[in-house]
Amino acid sequence: TSFAQDDKSTVYSMVERLYSPSTILVDTTDANTLYLTLLNGISNGCSVTMSNKKNLVIPWKIAETFFTSPRVRFESTVCAGTPVVAMLRRLSNSLDEIYSVEGCLSGTLNYICSQLDDGTAMAKAVEDAHDFGYTEPDPRDDLNGMDVGRKALILARMAGWHLEMGDISIEKLYPDSLESVDKEDFIRKLNLLTPKYQQLAQHAAAEDMSLRYIGSITPKEGRCYMKAVSKNSEFGLLKGTANKVSVLSRVHNPIPLTVSGSGAG
């Protein structure tokens, strides 16, 4: 994605010359426009695998091929190697009716929430996550909730719900005043986040609860937000960078089907 435009055109042209049923296109970037190359490849018989979530959250009319082609896989876009996408694919293929999907979808944010459980200040929790390599290079790319929002939309579409990004409300974990500052200035001002989340964590602890950043999706909408959950609940028991997804369906009801595993890092 750092190529000059002429260089990009050259690379795309080289890729297109390799299109054939024996070609596998692999997208490990975070580019916004590679979906065009991938779709062209699919139409020419190529297979595709990707970790790039951005290809999958473009408008449904364009993205539909990625979800319906048998030659496309993208397991690592949600919850790293934990087979959440495969679980929803299997439920859908078995004609189970999915009612809702809920989960802790960000290992980074779960690590930060776990630190808040232990009494760590929000600023320190974010700094540590950044130092350990759990966050994106700019921590705002995790704290703005967009990563969870994209994962939630991917899961919604896997469940058969043709939602768009605009159907998902996303809670940002920092004030608007820090949106436009540069990365270094943002990190220096992390202490501005501490009072709010210290108070929220203390109130949650007083009720024997923990803060968790949850992605919740239904057939009509989604929501990504900080929520107080019981310390003994499925999500409250998560520690560190773990992820967990619970699916309520016609078959898996009232006990949801739950999958958990490692996340960030």
Side-chain angles (χ1 to χ4, degrees):
T1 57
S2 62
F3 292 147
Q5 188 60 48
D6 289 346
D7 293 333
K8 287 182 183 178
S9 299
T10 300
V11 170
Y12 293 163
S13 177
M14 291 171 58
V15 170
E16 289 174 0
R17 287 200 296 272
L18 296 173
Y19 285 166
S20 78
S22 63
T23 299
I24 301 175
L25 301 177
V26 182
D27 181 4
T28 59
T29 75
D30 66 348
N32 292 305
T33 58
L34 274 180
Y35 68 89
L36 296 170
T37 298
L38 301 181
L39 289 172
N40 284 336
I42 294 168
S43 68
N44 283 277
C46 300
S47 297
V48 169
T49 184
M50 69 183 91
S51 60
N52 184 359
K53 292 180 279 291
K54 294 179 180 178
N55 298 319
L56 302 171
V57 299
I58 56 178
W60 172 252
K61 287 184 178 180
I62 305 173
E64 182 176 4
T65 297
F66 292 131
F67 290 87
T68 57
S69 172
R71 299 193 306 277
V72 178
R73 290 293 183 269
F74 44 85
E75 187 64 62
S76 64
T77 58
V78 183
C79 298
T82 304
V84 174
V85 171
M87 171 182 68
L88 287 173
R89 192 187 303 276
R90 182 168 182 175
L91 291 180
S92 179
N93 289 343
S94 68
L95 303 183
D96 192 3
E97 181 182 0
I98 300 172
Y99 299 150
S100 65
V101 182
E102 187 174 53
C104 288
L105 305 177
S106 169
T108 302
L109 296 184
N110 202 68
Y111 171 82
I112 291 171
C113 288
S114 294
Q115 294 299 100
L116 294 178
D117 280 350
D118 295 336
T120 304
M122 181 66 161
K124 181 69 164 59
V126 175
E127 287 174 357
D128 287 348
H130 183 258
D131 291 343
F132 294 152
Y134 296 155
T135 71
E136 296 297 326
D138 187 333
R140 281 172 294 191
D141 291 337
D142 295 292
L143 297 174
N144 63 13
M146 280 302 300
D147 180 63
V148 175
R150 292 187 184 106
K151 292 173 182 176
L153 182 58
I154 292 169
L155 294 183
R157 290 176 168 181
M158 285 302 303
W161 311 326
H162 303 161
L163 302 183
E164 304 290 352
M165 281 304 304
D167 297 318
I168 299 178
S169 65
I170 300 173
E171 179 184 345
K172 190 166 55 177
L173 300 184
Y174 57 86
D176 291 339
S177 61
L178 296 182
E179 187 68 71
S180 59
V181 302
D182 61 34
K183 169 189 166 183
E184 290 71 23
D185 197 21
F186 175 78
I187 292 175
R188 284 194 295 269
K189 293 180 177 179
L190 280 172
N191 61 302
L192 296 176
L193 307 181
T194 293
K196 173 183 177 179
Y197 291 100
Q198 183 177 34
Q199 185 178 51
L200 289 174
Q202 289 174 346
H203 286 171
E207 300 292 331
D208 201 29
M209 303 182 86
S210 297
L211 295 179
R212 293 291 182 266
Y213 195 88
I214 303 290
S216 180
I217 320 108
T218 67
K220 293 185 177 180
E221 61 187 0
R223 184 183 179 194
C224 303
Y225 63 114
M226 189 74 90
K227 178 183 179 181
V229 301
S230 169
K231 286 184 179 292
N232 296 318
S233 68
E234 290 279 1
F235 300 136
L237 291 170
L238 283 183
K239 299 298 181 184
T241 60
N243 289 159
K244 180 170 286 189
V245 176
S246 291
V247 180
L248 197 65
S249 71
R250 177 174 50 82
V251 173
H252 300 281
N253 184 21
I255 300 173
L257 177 61
T258 302
V259 176
S260 61
S262 59

